[in-house]
Amino acid sequence: MELIIGTKKWSTWSLRPWLVAKRAGAPFTETLIELRQENNMTGAAIRPHSPSGLVPALKTDGVTIVDSLAICEVLAEKFPQARLWPEDPVARALARSAACEMHAGFSSLRGECPMDLTAEPRAVELSEATHRDVRRIVELWGGLLRRFGGPFLAGDWSIADAFYTPVATRFRTYGVKLSDFGDDGAAGEYAARLLEQPEFLAWEADAR
């Protein structure tokens, strides 16, 4: 398998399936394409690898899979022993729901607080739309952590946790205090836990 990814300090969508592949113990080669090149050179560099013109992309079994969630689902099917989704059907459904909510939503947080793993942490003024996104994330995390008892959203680490790891980096970089958004401590501890995982630390070290 070959996983095509973008610049590690910026590419949240690349980070997610990379974490999942590492958790699964999947053997893969990594092709990194620098993002934000001038004169649209980034698109020209990506296009030979990805029919969508976007990263990430996974080349496996003679086909190319694009989109982070699709790649993660393929990895879950190829490596069932890694239990990348919970075995319990209710936990699995809620973990999938959480991942899909991240995949499709929180556009204000994404736009206002882009991931940058080399930026110095700083407090910023957030818009009301981003406040709403953060409140929803705190509500979502807290509800799942209480329901399944942690330490991750659906108990053991899953694809859902990979999807929220870039969010945790945003909260750290932009000085977002989750206690200001109704967190009783569980969401903040969970965010810190995501950033302590060895797979993320390896990615972050490369980014830096």
Side-chain angles (χ1 to χ4, degrees), residues 14 18 46 66 174 184 196:
S14 298
W18 190 93
I46 293 173
V66 297
Y174 298 99
D184 61 2
E196 294 168 351

Side-chain angles (χ1 to χ4, degrees), residues 5 15 24 31 34-35 42 48 62 64 74 80 83-84 87 96 114 120 128 140 146-147 164 166 168 175 190 197:
I5 61 173
L15 170 57
T31 298
E34 290 294 333
L35 304 179
T42 295
T64 300
V74 167
R83 298 179 181 177
L84 296 171
E87 291 187 334
R96 278 195 164 119
E120 288 297 319
E128 180 52 39
L140 174 67
R146 286 190 294 272
R147 181 178 186 120
Y164 284 97
Y190 167 69
Q197 300 309 299

Side-chain angles (χ1 to χ4, degrees), residues 53-95:
L54 301 171
V55 289
L58 178 70
K59 297 179 182 180
T60 181
D61 300 324
V63 297
T64 300
I65 310 301
V66 297
D67 184 87
S68 292
L69 187 54
I71 293 169
C72 290
E73 290 287 9
V74 167
L75 292 169
E77 292 173 357
K78 290 177 75 70
F79 300 95
Q81 71 281 1
R83 298 179 181 177
L84 296 171
W85 289 119
E87 291 187 334
D88 175 75
V90 172
R92 186 167 62 249
L94 290 174

Side-chain angles (χ1 to χ4, degrees), residues 152-165:
F152 298 102
L153 291 181
D156 293 333
W157 193 93
S158 74
I159 290 169
D161 302 294
F163 267 70
Y164 284 97
T165 298

